[in-house]
Amino acid sequence: MDEHQILQILQSLLLAALTASVVLLLCGLPGPRRIRALVSSGGVVGAGLALYLACGVLRLLPKWPPLEDNDRNLLFLFPSVVLVELLACFAGRWRLVFWVPRLLIAAAAARVLLHGSIFIQAPDEYTPAEWTAAEAWWVLGGLAAALAGMWGLLYALVRRAPGRSVSIAVAGALAGSSVAVMLTGNATGGEPNLALAAALAGAVAASLLLRRLPDQAGIVGLGIVGLFAVLVAGRFFGSLTTLHGVVLFFSLVLAWLPELPYVRRFLKPWQRGLLRVALVAFPVVLVLIPVVQKSIADMTPSSENPVDTTSEDYKNFGK
Amino acid sequence: MYQRFVGSVLAVGCLVIVGGFNAARAEDSYTVDDVHSSVTFKVSHLGLSNIHGRFDSFTGDFTIDENDPSKSHFGLSIKADTVDTNNAGRDTHLKSPDFFNTKQFPTISFKSTAVKAIKQGYEVTGDLTMHGVTKPVTMILEGGKKAEFPKGTQCTGFSTTVALKRSDFGIGDKSTDSIGDDVVISIGLEGFKKK
């Protein structure tokens, strides 16, 4: 990655964070009949808009027809989540109804991202797809269950602990996962979602200026689907290992630990929030350390790392 | 007498038909010999020098019709995930969505659409599909000499070089500063058929 690309990434992060925060602040400006739903929708719209603007800077806007997972994510998956979360902001008492489209999105997400790939489609008439029909059902079903389960867990957590800590934890996990995917040879898969993490962080930071905290469920929904998309890109199209992908995705389960009765009783809300962010960051950092080390080793010219030769090598030459 | 005459006419007719059939059957169909063929490429690194690479696995076939070259055709299918630049880390990156995205686009294929005989061999125009993008490409296939190797097997071969812009196919178009956009592909193609 050259200096120009690094500058481009930094510009996209700044633009994403600024866009998300400005849109949220515009929706949350004090005024007559300012309703919380409008402010919450500002978070969703701001983060959504921020992602596409950042993709423009990164030259990763979706192509038509959609050929790759990033195209399908930006054309179908992400807009669906933005739409559902936007409508859910205004649903009031009917907000649970929106779990129907959320579950449909969770069920379809992996299939949409993997469409046309060698996992589910035969490359040619002589080579079968990598997965049999039964294997495809198991893998796609498992991924759908994981996304739906995690989305549900975080939604419940936002309702139980309505501060900013869940959004910060999601943004942190998304940023760490995006960096891991970028360093495992899939920069184009990681960059847009790194920008989405910056947008979430921008929205959270801007919410500090608002009189009343907007509902975090919408931006958490965008974050969890973004996390899922980047890990699918890294695992199935890049070189992210299954173990690292699983650890990064399920790191968010740890956000629930401060809500366990025994812990909850002894900690103040701000302490629980801090603990939540630290608990999620821990496995993310654990994954990033070996990924960064391997990336640095891979970039070092092999002539700087000569393998020690021994007399055995000489004796075995030609054998 | 009449029967002998009819018999002679039929015999001559059959000979004419068989002879005509053989004359019309001037096309030779070959299977690409992957042992003696190669698909290599070179691309500039930082404008300093060229990195060379190859694809290790490919299949194909071609038909040469010497009487009517326009009826000839060439087809080649390359397994994109066999890209080999003699550096495992770089090869892994080349297979990723940053470049070839081999899990999404496992094959690079060429199918001829027009073949023309020229002095050096054949001018072949066809559709090159790479990274999900199909573009017309014209290449000069030089050669066409025939040999028998091993005994009982007829071989022929061609060589060609074609220059492409990888950004035309959406391959790594974000990193054209450090890695050149122009890629020179060299193909050595040998085909065989049983005599």
Side-chain angles (χ1 to χ4, degrees):
Chain A
M1 194 174 282
D2 54 38
E3 274 180 30
H4 174 68
Q5 283 173 291
I6 293 170
L7 192 67
Q8 208 175 49
I9 292 170
L10 292 176
Q11 284 172 341
S12 74
L13 298 183
L14 191 65
L15 180 65
L18 277 175
T19 305
S21 53
V22 167
V23 173
L24 180 67
L25 289 175
L26 284 176
C27 292
L29 280 177
R33 294 170 60 96
R34 184 66 63 189
I35 52 171
R36 192 183 181 215
L38 183 63
V39 187
S40 304
S41 70
V44 174
V45 172
L49 184 64
L51 177 62
Y52 290 96
L53 289 177
C55 284
V57 171
L58 294 165
R59 290 194 284 157
L60 286 174
L61 282 171
K63 298 181 188 86
W64 188 266
L67 295 173
E68 298 180 84
D69 62 306
N70 186 50
D71 301 332
R72 292 188 290 271
N73 181 27
L74 293 175
L75 285 170
F76 306 122
L77 188 58
F78 192 74
S80 313
V81 184
V82 170
L83 183 66
V84 168
E85 294 301 344
L86 184 62
L87 294 174
C89 290
F90 297 95
R93 285 184 302 164
W94 297 96
R95 64 189 182 200
L96 284 180
V97 172
F98 283 87
W99 271 102
V100 174
R102 282 191 189 112
L103 289 175
L104 288 174
I105 289 171
R111 180 63 185 79
V112 169
L113 294 171
L114 295 173
H115 178 75
S117 68
I118 60 165
F119 301 104
I120 47 183
Q121 189 172 307
D124 53 57
E125 54 194 302
Y126 309 109
T127 318
E130 206 153 289
W131 297 335
T132 62
E135 284 170 340
W137 274 105
W138 276 108
V139 176
L140 296 177
L143 289 170
L147 176 56
M150 186 58 74
W151 204 342
L153 269 179
L154 291 178
Y155 183 86
L157 185 58
V158 167
R159 293 281 164 260
R160 187 180 167 90
R164 294 177 181 85
S165 61
V166 181
S167 304
I168 296 171
V170 170
L174 181 57
S177 301
S178 302
V179 171
V181 169
M182 287 163 69
L183 292 179
T184 48
N186 187 356
T188 46
E191 286 171 13
N193 290 292
L194 189 60
L196 179 60
L200 299 188
V204 171
S207 71
L208 291 167
L209 301 174
L210 298 176
R211 210 177 293 166
R212 198 172 164 203
L213 180 70
D215 186 4
Q216 300 290 291
I219 60 169
V220 164
L222 297 188
I224 191 68
V225 176
L227 178 67
F228 181 81
V230 74
L231 292 176
V232 166
R235 167 60 185 84
F236 293 103
F237 296 104
S239 308
L240 188 73
T241 64
T242 304
L243 177 66
H244 285 167
V246 167
V247 170
L248 288 168
F249 189 72
F250 289 103
S251 63
L252 286 170
V253 173
L254 297 177
W256 258 97
L257 282 186
E259 298 305 316
L260 293 178
Y262 189 78
V263 185
R264 189 179 167 86
R265 200 182 310 156
F266 291 102
L267 293 178
K268 292 175 183 165
W270 71 267
Q271 289 172 323
R272 292 204 302 272
L274 201 61
L275 180 61
R276 191 182 338 275
V277 173
L279 282 169
V280 172
F282 182 67
V284 174
V285 172
L286 273 187
V287 168
L288 279 176
I289 290 170
V291 165
V292 170
Q293 284 173 338
K294 186 174 183 311
S295 172
I296 292 170
D298 285 348
M299 279 190 281
T300 309
S302 53
S303 49
E304 282 183 23
N305 273 330
V307 179
D308 289 338
T309 51
T310 64
S311 57
E312 284 299 307
D313 294 325
Y314 176 72
K315 282 186 223 164
N316 291 330
F317 181 76
K319 286 185 184 174
Chain B
M1 183 67 186
Y2 174 75
Q3 282 177 337
R4 284 180 68 181
F5 174 74
V6 171
S8 302
V9 169
L10 280 175
V12 170
C14 285
L15 282 173
V16 168
I17 289 167
V18 171
F21 181 73
N22 277 338
R25 205 176 147 270
E27 62 173 39
D28 290 322
S29 294
Y30 295 90
T31 302
V32 168
D33 172 7
D34 59 351
V35 177
H36 299 102
S37 300
S38 61
V39 181
T40 63
F41 61 88
K42 66 175 180 180
V43 62
S44 160
H45 177 240
L46 298 170
L48 302 174
S49 70
N50 289 318
I51 301 290
H52 292 253
R54 67 184 192 195
F55 291 96
D56 292 335
S57 179
F58 47 84
T59 55
D61 52 56
F62 55 91
T63 301
I64 307 285
D65 190 330
E66 287 175 353
N67 292 343
D68 185 358
S70 66
K71 286 183 181 168
S72 304
H73 82 82
F74 292 82
L76 191 64
S77 178
I78 301 164
K79 287 193 175 171
D81 69 349
T82 63
V83 63
D84 181 355
T85 61
N86 196 29
N87 181 292
R90 181 168 56 212
D91 294 345
T92 304
H93 193 198
L94 284 173
K95 292 172 196 175
S96 81
D98 291 352
F99 292 94
F100 286 106
N101 198 359
T102 58
K103 301 286 185 190
Q104 186 74 58
F105 310 112
T107 52
I108 299 168
S109 64
F110 175 81
K111 277 183 185 155
S112 67
T113 52
V115 178
K116 200 164 74 178
I118 55 171
K119 192 180 168 190
Q120 308 96 306
Y122 295 96
E123 183 185 286
V124 179
T125 301
D127 292 330
L128 177 66
T129 302
M130 188 160 59
H131 200 248
V133 178
T134 302
K135 297 262 177 195
V137 169
T138 298
M139 50 184 101
I140 304 295
L141 293 186
E142 292 182 10
K145 193 178 151 187
K146 287 176 184 164
E148 187 178 353
F149 180 81
K151 196 164 173 59
T153 302
Q154 182 177 305
C155 309
T156 188
F158 300 93
S159 298
T160 188
T161 299
V162 60
L164 304 170
K165 283 196 184 297
R166 62 191 173 89
S167 59
D168 286 347
F169 294 86
I171 296 177
D173 43 4
K174 281 191 69 186
S175 53
T176 47
D177 294 340
S178 52
I179 307 163
D181 191 17
D182 295 309
V183 182
V184 177
I185 301 172
S186 296
I187 302 173
L189 199 64
E190 280 193 24
F192 67 90
K193 69 164 199 164
K194 295 287 179 195
K195 268 188 162 178

